[in-house]
Coordinates of all heavy atoms in Angstrom, one line a residue:
L76 N 3.0 28.9 -21.0 CA 2.4 28.6 -22.3 C 1.0 28.0 -22.2 O 0.1 28.5 -22.9 CB 3.3 27.6 -23.0 CG 4.6 28.1 -23.5 CD1 5.5 26.9 -23.9 CD2 4.5 29.1 -24.6
N77 N 0.8 27.0 -21.3 CA -0.5 26.3 -21.2 C -1.5 27.1 -20.5 O -2.7 27.2 -21.0 CB -0.3 25.0 -20.6 CG 0.5 24.0 -21.5 OD1 -0.1 23.5 -22.5 ND2 1.7 23.8 -21.3
E78 N -1.2 27.7 -19.4 CA -2.2 28.5 -18.6 C -2.6 29.8 -19.4 O -3.8 30.2 -19.3 CB -1.7 28.8 -17.2 CG -1.8 27.6 -16.3 CD -1.5 28.0 -14.9 OE1 -1.9 29.0 -14.3 OE2 -0.7 27.2 -14.3
S79 N -1.7 30.3 -20.1 CA -2.0 31.5 -20.9 C -3.0 31.1 -22.0 O -4.0 31.8 -22.2 CB -0.8 32.1 -21.6 OG 0.1 32.7 -20.6
A80 N -2.8 30.0 -22.7 CA -3.7 29.5 -23.7 C -5.1 29.2 -23.1 O -6.1 29.6 -23.6 CB -3.1 28.3 -24.4
A81 N -5.1 28.5 -21.9 CA -6.3 28.1 -21.3 C -7.1 29.4 -20.8 O -8.3 29.5 -20.9 CB -6.0 27.2 -20.1
L82 N -6.3 30.4 -20.3 CA -7.0 31.6 -19.8 C -7.6 32.3 -21.0 O -8.7 32.8 -20.9 CB -6.0 32.5 -19.1 CG -6.5 33.8 -18.5 CD1 -7.6 33.4 -17.4 CD2 -5.4 34.6 -17.8
R83 N -6.9 32.4 -22.1 CA -7.5 33.1 -23.3 C -8.8 32.4 -23.7 O -9.7 33.1 -24.0 CB -6.4 33.1 -24.5 CG -5.3 34.0 -24.3 CD -4.3 34.0 -25.5 NE -3.2 34.8 -25.3 CZ -3.2 36.2 -25.4 NH1 -4.3 36.8 -25.7 NH2 -2.2 36.9 -25.1
Q84 N -8.8 31.1 -23.8 CA -10.0 30.4 -24.2 C -11.1 30.5 -23.1 O -12.3 30.6 -23.5 CB -9.7 28.9 -24.4 CG -8.8 28.6 -25.6 CD -8.7 27.2 -26.0 OE1 -9.7 26.4 -25.7 NE2 -7.6 26.7 -26.5
S85 N -10.7 30.5 -21.9 CA -11.7 30.7 -20.8 C -12.4 32.0 -20.9 O -13.6 32.1 -20.8 CB -11.0 30.5 -19.5 OG -12.0 30.3 -18.4
I86 N -11.6 33.1 -21.1 CA -12.2 34.4 -21.2 C -13.1 34.5 -22.5 O -14.2 35.1 -22.4 CB -11.1 35.5 -21.3 CG1 -10.4 35.6 -19.9 CG2 -11.6 36.8 -21.7 CD1 -9.1 36.4 -19.9
A87 N -12.7 33.8 -23.5 CA -13.5 33.9 -24.8 C -14.8 33.1 -24.6 O -15.8 33.5 -25.2 CB -12.7 33.3 -25.9
H88 N -14.8 32.0 -23.8 CA -15.9 31.1 -23.8 C -16.7 31.3 -22.4 O -17.8 30.7 -22.3 CB -15.5 29.7 -23.9 CG -15.0 29.4 -25.3 ND1 -15.7 29.1 -26.4 CD2 -13.7 29.3 -25.7 CE1 -15.0 28.9 -27.4 NE2 -13.7 29.0 -27.0
G89 N -16.2 32.0 -21.5 CA -16.8 32.1 -20.2 C -18.2 32.8 -20.3 O -18.3 33.7 -21.0
D90 N -19.1 32.3 -19.5 CA -20.5 32.9 -19.4 C -20.7 33.6 -18.1 O -19.7 33.7 -17.3 CB -21.5 31.8 -19.7 CG -21.5 30.7 -18.7 OD1 -20.8 30.8 -17.7 OD2 -22.2 29.7 -19.0
L91 N -21.9 34.0 -17.8 CA -22.2 34.7 -16.6 C -22.0 33.8 -15.4 O -21.5 34.3 -14.3 CB -23.7 35.2 -16.6 CG -24.1 36.1 -15.5 CD1 -23.2 37.3 -15.4 CD2 -25.6 36.5 -15.7
T92 N -22.3 32.5 -15.5 CA -22.1 31.6 -14.4 C -20.6 31.5 -14.0 O -20.2 31.6 -12.9 CB -22.6 30.2 -14.7 OG1 -24.0 30.3 -14.9 CG2 -22.4 29.2 -13.5
W93 N -19.7 31.4 -15.1 CA -18.3 31.4 -14.9 C -17.8 32.7 -14.2 O -17.1 32.6 -13.2 CB -17.6 31.2 -16.2 CG -16.1 31.4 -16.2 CD1 -15.2 30.6 -15.6 CD2 -15.4 32.5 -16.7 NE1 -13.9 31.1 -15.8 CE2 -14.0 32.3 -16.4 CE3 -15.8 33.7 -17.4 CZ2 -13.0 33.2 -16.8 CZ3 -14.8 34.5 -17.8 CH2 -13.4 34.3 -17.5
E94 N -18.3 33.8 -14.7 CA -17.9 35.1 -14.1 C -18.3 35.1 -12.6 O -17.5 35.6 -11.7 CB -18.6 36.3 -14.8 CG -18.0 36.6 -16.1 CD -18.7 37.8 -16.8 OE1 -19.6 38.5 -16.2 OE2 -18.5 38.0 -18.0
S95 N -19.5 34.7 -12.3 CA -20.0 34.6 -10.9 C -19.1 33.7 -10.0 O -18.8 34.1 -8.9 CB -21.4 34.1 -10.8 OG -22.3 35.0 -11.6
N96 N -18.7 32.6 -10.6 CA -17.8 31.7 -9.9 C -16.4 32.3 -9.6 O -15.9 32.1 -8.5 CB -17.7 30.4 -10.6 CG -18.9 29.6 -10.6 OD1 -19.8 29.8 -9.8 ND2 -19.1 28.7 -11.6
V97 N -15.9 33.1 -10.6 CA -14.6 33.7 -10.4 C -14.8 34.8 -9.3 O -13.9 34.9 -8.4 CB -14.2 34.4 -11.8 CG1 -13.0 35.4 -11.5 CG2 -13.8 33.3 -12.8
I98 N -15.8 35.5 -9.3 CA -16.1 36.6 -8.3 C -16.1 35.9 -6.9 O -15.5 36.3 -5.9 CB -17.3 37.4 -8.6 CG1 -17.1 38.3 -9.8 CG2 -17.7 38.2 -7.4 CD1 -18.4 38.9 -10.4
A99 N -16.9 34.8 -6.8 CA -17.1 34.1 -5.5 C -15.8 33.6 -5.0 O -15.5 33.8 -3.8 CB -18.2 33.0 -5.7
I100 N -15.0 32.9 -5.8 CA -13.8 32.3 -5.3 C -12.8 33.3 -5.0 O -12.0 33.2 -4.1 CB -13.3 31.2 -6.2 CG1 -12.2 30.3 -5.5 CG2 -12.7 31.7 -7.5 CD1 -12.7 29.5 -4.3
H101 N -12.8 34.4 -5.8 CA -11.8 35.5 -5.5 C -12.2 36.1 -4.1 O -11.3 36.4 -3.3 CB -11.8 36.6 -6.5 CG -10.9 37.7 -6.1 ND1 -11.5 38.9 -5.6 CD2 -9.6 37.9 -6.1 CE1 -10.5 39.7 -5.2 NE2 -9.3 39.1 -5.5
H102 N -13.5 36.3 -3.9 CA -13.9 36.9 -2.6 C -13.5 36.0 -1.4 O -12.9 36.4 -0.4 CB -15.4 37.1 -2.6 CG -15.9 37.6 -1.3 ND1 -15.7 38.9 -0.9 CD2 -16.6 37.0 -0.2 CE1 -16.2 39.1 0.4 NE2 -16.8 38.0 0.7
K103 N -13.7 34.7 -1.6 CA -13.3 33.7 -0.6 C -11.8 33.7 -0.3 O -11.3 33.7 0.8 CB -13.7 32.3 -1.0 CG -13.6 31.3 0.1 CD -14.3 30.0 -0.4 CE -14.3 28.9 0.6 NZ -14.9 27.7 0.2
L104 N -11.0 33.8 -1.4 CA -9.5 33.9 -1.3 C -9.1 35.1 -0.6 O -8.2 35.1 0.3 CB -8.9 33.8 -2.7 CG -7.4 33.8 -2.8 CD1 -6.8 32.6 -2.1 CD2 -6.9 34.0 -4.2
S105 N -9.7 36.3 -0.9 CA -9.3 37.5 -0.3 C -9.7 37.6 1.1 O -9.1 38.4 1.9 CB -9.9 38.7 -1.1 OG -11.3 38.8 -0.9
Q106 N -10.6 36.8 1.6 CA -11.1 36.9 3.0 C -10.4 35.8 3.8 O -10.7 35.7 5.0 CB -12.6 36.8 3.0 CG -13.3 37.9 2.3 CD -12.9 39.2 2.9 OE1 -13.0 39.5 4.1 NE2 -12.5 40.1 2.0
T107 N -9.6 35.0 3.2 CA -9.0 33.8 4.0 C -7.6 34.2 4.4 O -6.8 34.7 3.5 CB -9.0 32.6 3.1 OG1 -10.3 32.3 2.7 CG2 -8.4 31.4 3.8
V108 N -7.2 34.0 5.6 CA -5.9 34.2 6.1 C -4.9 33.3 5.4 O -5.1 32.1 5.4 CB -5.8 34.1 7.7 CG1 -4.4 34.3 8.2 CG2 -6.8 35.1 8.3
E109 N -3.8 33.9 4.9 CA -2.8 33.1 4.2 C -1.8 32.3 5.0 O -1.5 31.2 4.8 CB -2.1 34.0 3.2 CG -1.2 33.2 2.2 CD -0.6 34.2 1.2 OE1 -1.0 35.3 1.1 OE2 0.2 33.7 0.4
Y110 N -1.3 33.0 6.0 CA -0.2 32.4 6.8 C -0.6 32.2 8.3 O -1.5 32.8 8.8 CB 1.0 33.4 6.8 CG 1.6 33.6 5.5 CD1 1.4 34.8 4.8 CD2 2.3 32.7 4.8 CE1 1.9 35.1 3.6 CE2 2.9 32.9 3.6 CZ 2.6 34.1 2.9 OH 3.2 34.3 1.7
E111 N 0.1 31.2 8.9 CA 0.0 31.0 10.3 C 1.4 30.8 10.8 O 2.3 30.4 10.1 CB -0.9 29.9 10.6 CG -0.4 28.5 10.2 CD -1.4 27.4 10.5 OE1 -2.2 27.5 11.5 OE2 -1.5 26.4 9.7
D112 N 1.6 31.2 12.1 CA 2.9 31.0 12.7 C 2.9 29.6 13.4 O 2.1 29.2 14.2 CB 3.1 32.0 13.8 CG 3.4 33.4 13.2 OD1 4.0 33.5 12.1 OD2 2.9 34.4 13.8
V113 N 3.9 28.8 13.0 CA 4.2 27.5 13.6 C 5.6 27.4 14.0 O 6.5 27.6 13.1 CB 3.8 26.4 12.6 CG1 4.2 25.0 13.2 CG2 2.3 26.4 12.3
D114 N 5.9 27.2 15.3 CA 7.3 27.2 15.7 C 8.1 28.4 15.3 O 9.2 28.2 14.8 CB 8.0 25.9 15.3 CG 7.3 24.6 15.9 OD1 6.8 24.7 17.0 OD2 7.3 23.6 15.2
Q115 N 7.5 29.5 15.4 CA 8.2 30.8 15.1 C 8.5 30.9 13.6 O 9.4 31.7 13.2 CB 9.4 31.1 15.9 CG 9.1 31.1 17.4 CD 10.3 31.3 18.3 OE1 11.4 31.2 17.8 NE2 10.1 31.5 19.6
K116 N 7.8 30.2 12.7 CA 8.0 30.3 11.3 C 6.6 30.5 10.7 O 5.6 30.0 11.1 CB 8.6 29.0 10.7 CG 10.0 28.8 11.1 CD 10.5 27.4 10.6 CE 10.8 27.5 9.2 NZ 11.4 26.2 8.7
Q117 N 6.6 31.3 9.6 CA 5.3 31.5 8.9 C 5.2 30.4 7.9 O 6.1 30.2 7.1 CB 5.3 32.8 8.2 CG 4.8 34.0 9.1 CD 4.3 35.1 8.3 OE1 4.8 35.4 7.2 NE2 3.4 35.9 8.8
I118 N 4.0 29.7 7.9 CA 3.7 28.7 6.9 C 2.4 29.0 6.3 O 1.5 29.7 6.9 CB 3.7 27.3 7.4 CG1 2.6 27.1 8.5 CG2 5.1 26.9 8.0 CD1 2.4 25.6 8.8
V119 N 2.2 28.6 5.0 CA 0.9 28.8 4.3 C -0.1 27.9 5.0 O 0.1 26.7 5.2 CB 1.1 28.5 2.8 CG1 -0.3 28.6 2.1 CG2 2.0 29.4 2.2
R120 N -1.3 28.4 5.3 CA -2.4 27.7 5.8 C -2.9 26.8 4.7 O -3.1 27.2 3.6 CB -3.5 28.6 6.4 CG -3.0 29.4 7.6 CD -4.1 30.3 8.1 NE -5.2 29.6 8.6 CZ -6.5 29.7 8.1 NH1 -6.7 30.5 7.2 NH2 -7.4 29.0 8.7
E121 N -3.2 25.5 5.1 CA -3.8 24.6 4.1 C -5.1 25.0 3.5 O -5.3 24.9 2.3 CB -3.9 23.2 4.8 CG -4.3 22.1 3.8 CD -4.3 20.7 4.4 OE1 -3.6 20.5 5.4 OE2 -5.0 19.9 3.9
E122 N -5.9 25.6 4.3 CA -7.2 26.2 3.8 C -7.0 27.2 2.7 O -7.6 27.2 1.6 CB -8.0 26.8 4.9 CG -9.3 27.4 4.4 CD -10.1 28.2 5.5 OE1 -9.5 28.5 6.6 OE2 -11.2 28.5 5.3
W123 N -6.0 28.1 2.9 CA -5.7 29.2 1.9 C -5.2 28.5 0.7 O -5.5 28.9 -0.5 CB -4.7 30.2 2.5 CG -4.5 31.3 1.5 CD1 -5.2 32.5 1.4 CD2 -3.5 31.3 0.4 NE1 -4.7 33.2 0.3 CE2 -3.7 32.5 -0.3 CE3 -2.5 30.4 0.1 CZ2 -2.8 32.8 -1.3 CZ3 -1.7 30.7 -1.0 CH2 -1.9 31.9 -1.7
S124 N -4.3 27.6 0.8 CA -3.7 26.9 -0.3 C -4.7 26.2 -1.2 O -4.7 26.3 -2.4 CB -2.6 25.9 0.2 OG -1.9 25.4 -0.9
D125 N -5.7 25.6 -0.6 CA -6.8 24.9 -1.3 C -7.6 25.9 -2.1 O -8.0 25.7 -3.2 CB -7.7 24.1 -0.4 CG -7.0 22.9 0.2 OD1 -6.0 22.4 -0.4 OD2 -7.5 22.3 1.2
I126 N -7.9 27.0 -1.4 CA -8.7 28.1 -2.1 C -7.9 28.7 -3.2 O -8.5 29.1 -4.3 CB -9.2 29.1 -1.0 CG1 -10.2 28.4 0.0 CG2 -9.9 30.3 -1.7 CD1 -10.5 29.3 1.2
H127 N -6.6 28.9 -3.0 CA -5.8 29.5 -4.0 C -5.8 28.6 -5.2 O -5.9 29.1 -6.4 CB -4.4 29.6 -3.4 CG -3.4 30.3 -4.3 ND1 -2.2 29.7 -4.7 CD2 -3.4 31.5 -4.9 CE1 -1.6 30.5 -5.5 NE2 -2.3 31.6 -5.7
R128 N -5.7 27.3 -5.0 CA -5.8 26.4 -6.2 C -7.1 26.5 -6.9 O -7.2 26.6 -8.1 CB -5.6 24.9 -5.6 CG -5.8 23.9 -6.7 CD -5.8 22.5 -6.1 NE -4.7 22.2 -5.3 CZ -3.6 21.6 -5.7 NH1 -3.5 21.3 -7.0 NH2 -2.6 21.4 -4.9
Q129 N -8.2 26.5 -6.1 CA -9.5 26.7 -6.7 C -9.6 28.0 -7.5 O -10.2 28.0 -8.6 CB -10.6 26.7 -5.6 CG -10.8 25.3 -4.9 CD -11.6 25.5 -3.7 OE1 -12.5 26.4 -3.6 NE2 -11.4 24.6 -2.7
F130 N -9.1 29.0 -7.0 CA -9.1 30.3 -7.7 C -8.5 30.2 -9.1 O -9.0 30.6 -10.1 CB -8.4 31.4 -6.8 CG -8.2 32.7 -7.6 CD1 -9.3 33.6 -7.8 CD2 -7.0 33.1 -8.0 CE1 -9.1 34.8 -8.5 CE2 -6.8 34.3 -8.7 CZ -7.8 35.1 -9.0
H131 N -7.2 29.7 -9.1 CA -6.5 29.6 -10.4 C -7.2 28.6 -11.3 O -7.2 28.9 -12.5 CB -5.0 29.2 -10.1 CG -4.2 30.4 -9.7 ND1 -3.6 31.2 -10.6 CD2 -3.9 30.9 -8.5 CE1 -3.0 32.2 -10.0 NE2 -3.1 32.0 -8.7
H132 N -7.8 27.6 -10.8 CA -8.5 26.6 -11.7 C -9.8 27.2 -12.2 O -10.1 27.0 -13.3 CB -8.8 25.3 -10.9 CG -7.6 24.5 -10.8 ND1 -6.8 24.0 -11.8 CD2 -7.0 23.9 -9.6 CE1 -5.8 23.3 -11.3 NE2 -5.9 23.2 -10.0
E133 N -10.4 28.0 -11.4 CA -11.7 28.7 -11.8 C -11.4 29.6 -13.0 O -12.2 29.7 -13.9 CB -12.4 29.4 -10.7 CG -13.8 29.8 -11.0 CD -14.7 28.7 -11.4 OE1 -14.7 27.6 -10.7 OE2 -15.4 28.8 -12.5
L134 N -10.3 30.4 -12.9 CA -10.0 31.3 -14.0 C -10.0 30.6 -15.3 O -10.4 31.3 -16.3 CB -8.6 32.0 -13.7 CG -8.5 32.9 -12.5 CD1 -7.1 33.4 -12.3 CD2 -9.5 34.1 -12.6
I135 N -9.5 29.4 -15.4 CA -9.4 28.7 -16.7 C -10.5 27.7 -16.9 O -10.5 27.0 -18.0 CB -8.0 28.1 -16.8 CG1 -7.7 27.0 -15.8 CG2 -6.9 29.2 -16.8 CD1 -6.4 26.2 -15.9
S136 N -11.4 27.6 -16.0 CA -12.4 26.5 -16.1 C -13.4 26.6 -17.3 O -14.0 25.6 -17.7 CB -13.2 26.4 -14.8 OG -14.0 27.6 -14.7
A137 N -13.5 27.8 -17.9 CA -14.4 27.9 -19.0 C -13.7 27.5 -20.3 O -14.3 27.5 -21.4 CB -14.9 29.3 -19.1
C138 N -12.4 27.2 -20.3 CA -11.7 26.7 -21.4 C -12.4 25.4 -21.9 O -12.5 24.4 -21.0 CB -10.2 26.5 -21.1 SG -9.3 25.6 -22.4
P139 N -12.8 25.2 -23.1 CA -13.4 24.0 -23.5 C -12.5 22.8 -23.8 O -13.0 21.7 -24.0 CB -14.1 24.4 -24.8 CG -13.3 25.6 -25.4 CD -12.8 26.3 -24.2
N140 N -11.2 23.1 -23.8 CA -10.2 22.0 -24.1 C -9.8 21.3 -22.8 O -9.0 21.7 -22.1 CB -9.0 22.6 -24.8 CG -8.0 21.6 -25.3 OD1 -7.8 20.6 -24.7 ND2 -7.3 21.9 -26.4
Q141 N -10.4 20.1 -22.6 CA -10.1 19.3 -21.4 C -8.7 18.8 -21.3 O -8.2 18.7 -20.2 CB -11.1 18.2 -21.2 CG -12.6 18.6 -21.0 CD -12.7 19.5 -19.7 OE1 -12.2 19.1 -18.6 NE2 -13.3 20.7 -19.8
V142 N -8.1 18.5 -22.4 CA -6.7 18.1 -22.4 C -5.8 19.2 -21.9 O -4.9 19.0 -21.0 CB -6.3 17.6 -23.8 CG1 -4.8 17.3 -23.8 CG2 -7.1 16.4 -24.2
L143 N -6.1 20.4 -22.3 CA -5.3 21.6 -21.9 C -5.5 21.8 -20.4 O -4.5 22.1 -19.7 CB -5.7 22.8 -22.7 CG -4.9 24.1 -22.4 CD1 -3.4 23.9 -22.6 CD2 -5.4 25.2 -23.4
L144 N -6.7 21.7 -20.0 CA -7.0 21.9 -18.5 C -6.3 20.8 -17.7 O -5.8 21.1 -16.6 CB -8.5 21.8 -18.3 CG -9.3 23.0 -18.8 CD1 -10.8 22.8 -18.6 CD2 -8.8 24.3 -18.1
D145 N -6.3 19.6 -18.1 CA -5.6 18.5 -17.4 C -4.1 18.8 -17.3 O -3.4 18.6 -16.3 CB -5.8 17.1 -18.1 CG -7.2 16.6 -17.9 OD1 -7.9 17.1 -16.9 OD2 -7.6 15.7 -18.6
I146 N -3.5 19.3 -18.4 CA -2.1 19.7 -18.4 C -1.8 20.8 -17.4 O -0.9 20.7 -16.6 CB -1.6 20.1 -19.8 CG1 -1.6 18.9 -20.8 CG2 -0.3 20.8 -19.8 CD1 -1.5 19.2 -22.2
C147 N -2.7 21.8 -17.4 CA -2.6 22.9 -16.4 C -2.7 22.4 -15.0 O -1.9 22.9 -14.2 CB -3.7 24.0 -16.7 SG -3.4 24.9 -18.3
R148 N -3.6 21.5 -14.7 CA -3.7 21.0 -13.4 C -2.4 20.2 -12.9 O -1.9 20.4 -11.8 CB -4.9 20.0 -13.2 CG -6.2 20.8 -13.2 CD -7.4 19.8 -13.0 NE -8.6 20.5 -13.3 CZ -9.3 20.5 -14.4 NH1 -8.9 19.7 -15.4 NH2 -10.4 21.1 -14.6
R149 N -1.9 19.4 -13.8 CA -0.6 18.7 -13.5 C 0.5 19.7 -13.3 O 1.3 19.5 -12.4 CB -0.3 17.7 -14.7 CG 1.1 17.1 -14.5 CD 1.1 15.6 -14.9 NE 2.4 15.1 -15.1 CZ 3.2 14.8 -14.2 NH1 2.9 15.1 -12.9 NH2 4.4 14.3 -14.4
L150 N 0.7 20.7 -14.1 CA 1.7 21.6 -14.0 C 1.6 22.4 -12.7 O 2.6 22.8 -12.0 CB 1.8 22.6 -15.2 CG 2.3 21.9 -16.5 CD1 2.0 22.8 -17.7 CD2 3.7 21.5 -16.4
W151 N 0.3 22.7 -12.3 CA 0.1 23.4 -11.0 C 0.6 22.6 -9.9 O 1.3 23.1 -9.0 CB -1.4 23.6 -10.9 CG -1.8 24.2 -9.5 CD1 -2.0 23.5 -8.3 CD2 -1.8 25.6 -9.1 NE1 -2.2 24.3 -7.3 CE2 -2.1 25.6 -7.7 CE3 -1.7 26.8 -9.8 CZ2 -2.3 26.8 -7.0 CZ3 -1.8 27.9 -9.1 CH2 -2.1 28.0 -7.7
D152 N 0.3 21.3 -9.9 CA 0.7 20.4 -8.8 C 2.2 20.4 -8.7 O 2.8 20.4 -7.6 CB 0.2 19.0 -9.0 CG -1.3 18.9 -8.8 OD1 -1.9 19.8 -8.2 OD2 -1.9 17.9 -9.3
L153 N 2.9 20.3 -9.9 CA 4.4 20.3 -9.9 C 4.9 21.6 -9.3 O 5.9 21.6 -8.6 CB 4.9 20.0 -11.3 CG 4.7 18.6 -11.8 CD1 5.1 18.6 -13.3 CD2 5.5 17.6 -11.0
S154 N 4.3 22.7 -9.7 CA 4.8 24.0 -9.2 C 4.5 24.3 -7.8 O 5.2 25.1 -7.1 CB 4.2 25.1 -10.1 OG 2.8 25.3 -9.9
E155 N 3.5 23.6 -7.2 CA 3.2 23.9 -5.8 C 4.4 23.4 -4.9 O 4.6 24.1 -3.9 CB 2.0 23.1 -5.4 CG 0.7 23.8 -5.7 CD 0.5 25.1 -4.9 OE1 0.0 25.0 -3.7 OE2 0.9 26.1 -5.4
F156 N 5.1 22.4 -5.3 CA 6.3 22.0 -4.5 C 7.2 23.2 -4.4 O 7.8 23.4 -3.3 CB 6.9 20.8 -5.2 CG 8.3 20.4 -4.7 CD1 8.4 19.6 -3.6 CD2 9.4 20.9 -5.3 CE1 9.6 19.3 -3.1 CE2 10.7 20.5 -4.8 CZ 10.8 19.7 -3.7
Y157 N 7.4 23.9 -5.4 CA 8.4 25.0 -5.4 C 7.8 26.2 -4.8 O 8.5 27.0 -4.1 CB 8.8 25.3 -6.9 CG 9.7 24.3 -7.4 CD1 9.2 23.2 -8.2 CD2 11.1 24.3 -7.1 CE1 10.1 22.2 -8.7 CE2 11.9 23.3 -7.6 CZ 11.4 22.3 -8.4 OH 12.2 21.3 -8.8
R158 N 6.5 26.5 -4.9 CA 5.9 27.6 -4.3 C 6.1 27.7 -2.8 O 6.3 28.7 -2.2 CB 4.4 27.7 -4.7 CG 3.8 29.1 -4.2 CD 2.3 29.2 -4.6 NE 1.5 28.2 -3.8 CZ 1.2 28.4 -2.5 NH1 1.5 29.4 -1.9 NH2 0.4 27.5 -1.9
H159 N 6.0 26.5 -2.2 CA 6.2 26.4 -0.8 C 7.6 26.9 -0.3 O 7.8 27.3 0.8 CB 5.9 25.0 -0.2 CG 4.4 24.8 -0.3 ND1 3.5 25.3 0.7 CD2 3.6 24.1 -1.1 CE1 2.3 24.9 0.4 NE2 2.3 24.2 -0.7
Y160 N 8.6 26.8 -1.2 CA 9.9 27.2 -0.9 C 10.0 28.8 -0.9 O 10.8 29.3 -0.2 CB 10.9 26.7 -1.9 CG 11.4 25.4 -1.6 CD1 10.8 24.2 -2.1 CD2 12.4 25.2 -0.6 CE1 11.2 23.0 -1.8 CE2 12.9 23.9 -0.3 CZ 12.3 22.8 -0.9 OH 12.7 21.5 -0.6
S161 N 9.1 29.4 -1.5 CA 9.1 30.9 -1.6 C 8.4 31.6 -0.5 O 8.5 32.8 -0.3 CB 8.5 31.4 -2.9 OG 7.1 31.2 -2.9

Side-chain angles (χ1 to χ4, degrees):
L76 290 169
N77 289 285
E78 284 185 46
S79 294
L82 184 59
R83 287 182 184 282
Q84 288 189 33
S85 195
I86 291 170
H88 296 280
D90 59 12
L91 186 57
T92 300
W93 169 73
E94 288 181 9
S95 299
N96 292 339
V97 168
I98 291 167
I100 194 64
H101 174 260
H102 179 72
K103 191 172 183 180
L104 181 65
S105 69
Q106 299 303 308
T107 303
V108 176
E109 185 172 355
Y110 299 105
E111 65 183 331
D112 291 324
V113 174
D114 297 328
Q115 300 177 352
K116 290 173 80 176
Q117 276 200 327
I118 64 166
V119 174
R120 294 179 65 240
E121 189 173 334
E122 177 187 14
W123 183 90
S124 190
D125 290 343
I126 296 167
H127 185 236
R128 173 190 306 270
Q129 292 170 26
F130 170 76
H131 279 274
H132 287 304
E133 190 60 48
L134 292 175
I135 62 173
S136 68
C138 172
N140 186 328
Q141 290 303 309
V142 172
L143 183 56
L144 290 175
D145 288 342
I146 291 168
C147 291
R148 285 185 193 99
R149 172 142 165 69
L150 291 168
W151 173 274
D152 290 342
L153 290 171
S154 68
E155 276 296 273
F156 171 81
Y157 289 94
R158 189 180 66 77
H159 287 283
Y160 277 95
S161 71

